[in-house]
Amino acid sequence: MGSGGVVLTSGRTSFASKSAVAFAFSILWTRAASAHVKWFCAYDIAGQPRGLENVLCPDFELLLGTALLWFFAGCIAERTSLGEAMTRALDRVTNGLRLRTEQMVRAVCGFFMISIWAAGGILLTPELKTTSALVGLLQLSIAAALLSRRTLPLSAMGMVILFGIGVEQYGAFHLADYPIFLGIAAYLALVGLQKELLGVAPLDIARYATAVTLMWASIEKWAYPQWSFPLLIEHPGLALGLDSEFYMRAAGMVEFSLAFALIWTPLVRRCAAAVLLGMFISACFEFGKLDTIGHSMIIVLLFAIISDNQPVERDHRPPWLAPVSLCAALTITLLTYYVGHAALFDTSIL
C-alpha cells in the first residue's frame, strides 16, 4: 500500500479535502464497515497483518487529525448552551427507552439466544461454529433465565461459559473481538443482584465493553482491509467512489473515534452512540437477517447509551484531554493488537 494520496473517481482532489469528505461520508455510509466481515468473507486470523509502517501512512495521519478536530469540537460544544439544549432534547425523546432499559436489554438478549439456537451450529456469533448439542441447550437456558430478574445471574453465567468455550476452541485472540458478551454478562448479573461493581453502574460496564469491542474491530480494518474488499465489490455503491484502500482506512478511523467517544462525557457519548446506531441499522438493511441477529445486542446497548442521562462525577473532563486520550487509546490498541498477534502467531509488526 503506497503512502501517496488516493484520488476520488470524479478527479483529483486535495489531500485535506479528500480526508474531510471521506470522514464525513464514512459516518453516513459505512455499512460495509459496520457489517462484521468474518460473517460474510473468508479470513485468516493468523495471517500476516499489514505492517504498521503501511498502516501509519499520510492518509491515516490526516484522518486522525480530522477525527481529533471533530472530537475536540464536540467536547467544546457540550459545554455551551447548544449542548445543554441538545441534552434536554435527548432526555425528552429517550425518556420512554430509559425507563425500560432493563426490559429492552433482556428481551433482545433473549431474541439473540433463541435466534442462534434456531439457526443451529452457532456458538456466539456466526463464524464461531459448534457441533455440541449441549451448547444449544445452554443457549435456551440462558434465554429462559432472562424471564425473571432473580435468574439473570444464571443467564450471565451461561454467557460466560459460552465465551469460555469460544476461547478454548478458537483462541483468546479471536474472542478478543467480542468482549461485549462479557460486558452484557456483567450487566445481567449486576442487575439481577441489584448491585454495582466498585461503584460502576451495570450499564456503564456494558458501555465500556461495547467501546472496547468496536475499537478492537476497527484495527482489523487497517490490518486486514483485504478481508472487506469482496463486500465492496459485491456492493459497489457502498464506497461512494472512494478507493477501497482509502475507504477502509477512513471507515476504521470513524469506527475507532466513535467507539472511543462512548467512554467519554455524557453528550459526546450519546451522540456517538446515535451515529453508530445509524451505521449498524443501515448495515442490517444492506446485509440482511444474519447481520441483524449478530449485531442485535450491540444495537440494543447503543439505544440504552443514547437514553442514559445519569452522568457521574468522573464524567467531567476538560476538553483538551479528549484528543490526548484518543491518541493514547489508539496507540495502546494498535500496539496491543500487533504485539499480541506477533507473540501468538509469529508475525511481524512493521
Side-chain angles (χ1 to χ4, degrees), residues 19 22-27 29-34 63 214 217-222 228 232 238-239 242-259 276 279:
S19 182
F23 196 85
F25 276 106
S26 292
I27 289 179
W29 297 104
T30 42
R31 289 173 291 177
S34 298
L63 286 165
L214 296 178
S218 69
I219 303 299
E220 290 187 343
K221 293 175 176 59
W222 302 322
S228 297
L232 296 179
L238 295 177
L242 292 167
D243 174 86
S244 295
E245 293 273 3
F246 181 74
Y247 177 81
M248 292 308 299
R249 288 196 288 274
M253 188 61 70
V254 168
E255 184 171 351
F256 189 95
S257 303
L258 291 172
L276 285 166
M279 290 164 55

Side-chain angles (χ1 to χ4, degrees), residues 147-191:
L147 295 174
S148 170
R149 176 181 284 180
R150 291 182 178 181
T151 55
L152 289 183
L154 297 178
S155 291
M157 185 183 303
M159 202 170 293
V160 172
I161 291 172
L162 288 179
F163 192 91
I165 294 172
V167 171
E168 192 275 329
Q169 292 185 358
Y170 288 87
F173 197 88
H174 195 144
L175 269 292
D177 279 3
Y178 304 115
I180 188 171
F181 288 108
L182 298 179
I184 292 173
Y187 173 87
L188 295 174
L190 292 171
V191 167

Side-chain angles (χ1 to χ4, degrees), residues 108-323:
V108 173
C109 287
F111 159 78
F112 176 83
M113 286 298 165
I114 291 172
S115 296
I116 61 175
W117 166 80
I122 294 176
L123 183 60
L124 273 175
T125 60
E127 91 279 12
L128 302 177
K129 305 298 184 182
T130 182
T131 57
S132 172
L134 293 177
V135 166
L137 181 61
L138 182 55
Q139 290 163 346
L140 284 180
S141 299
I142 292 170
L146 289 165
L147 295 174
S148 170
R149 176 181 284 180
R150 291 182 178 181
T151 55
L152 289 183
L154 297 178
S155 291
M157 185 183 303
M159 202 170 293
V160 172
I161 291 172
L162 288 179
F163 192 91
I165 294 172
V167 171
E168 192 275 329
Q169 292 185 358
Y170 288 87
F173 197 88
H174 195 144
L175 269 292
D177 279 3
Y178 304 115
I180 188 171
F181 288 108
L182 298 179
I184 292 173
Y187 173 87
L188 295 174
L190 292 171
V191 167
L193 297 171
Q194 292 292 282
K195 294 183 180 296
E196 294 186 343
L197 181 63
L198 301 177
V200 181
L203 182 57
D204 287 335
I205 293 175
R207 173 165 59 88
Y208 299 148
T210 303
V212 172
T213 297
L214 296 178
M215 285 192 288
W216 189 264
S218 69
I219 303 299
E220 290 187 343
K221 293 175 176 59
W222 302 322
Y224 300 100
Q226 68 275 14
W227 290 354
S228 297
F229 291 165
L231 286 180
L232 296 179
I233 294 172
E234 186 178 349
H235 304 268
L238 295 177
L240 299 173
L242 292 167
D243 174 86
S244 295
E245 293 273 3
F246 181 74
Y247 177 81
M248 292 308 299
R249 288 196 288 274
M253 188 61 70
V254 168
E255 184 171 351
F256 189 95
S257 303
L258 291 172
F260 179 78
L262 294 180
I263 65 175
W264 209 247
T265 48
L267 182 59
V268 168
R269 66 175 175 248
R270 294 172 78 180
C271 290
V275 176
L276 285 166
L277 182 64
M279 290 164 55
F280 279 106
I281 290 177
S282 66
C284 292
F285 286 107
E286 186 71 34
F287 296 99
K289 180 170 62 177
L290 181 66
D291 196 74
T292 302
I293 294 171
H295 282 141
S296 59
M297 293 217 277
I298 287 183
I299 289 171
V300 75
L301 287 180
L302 291 174
F303 271 116
I305 293 167
I306 293 169
S307 62
D308 180 31
N309 69 342
Q310 303 298 320
V312 294
E313 185 63 32
R314 60 179 171 272
D315 282 332
H316 300 291
R317 306 181 182 102
W320 65 264
L321 193 58

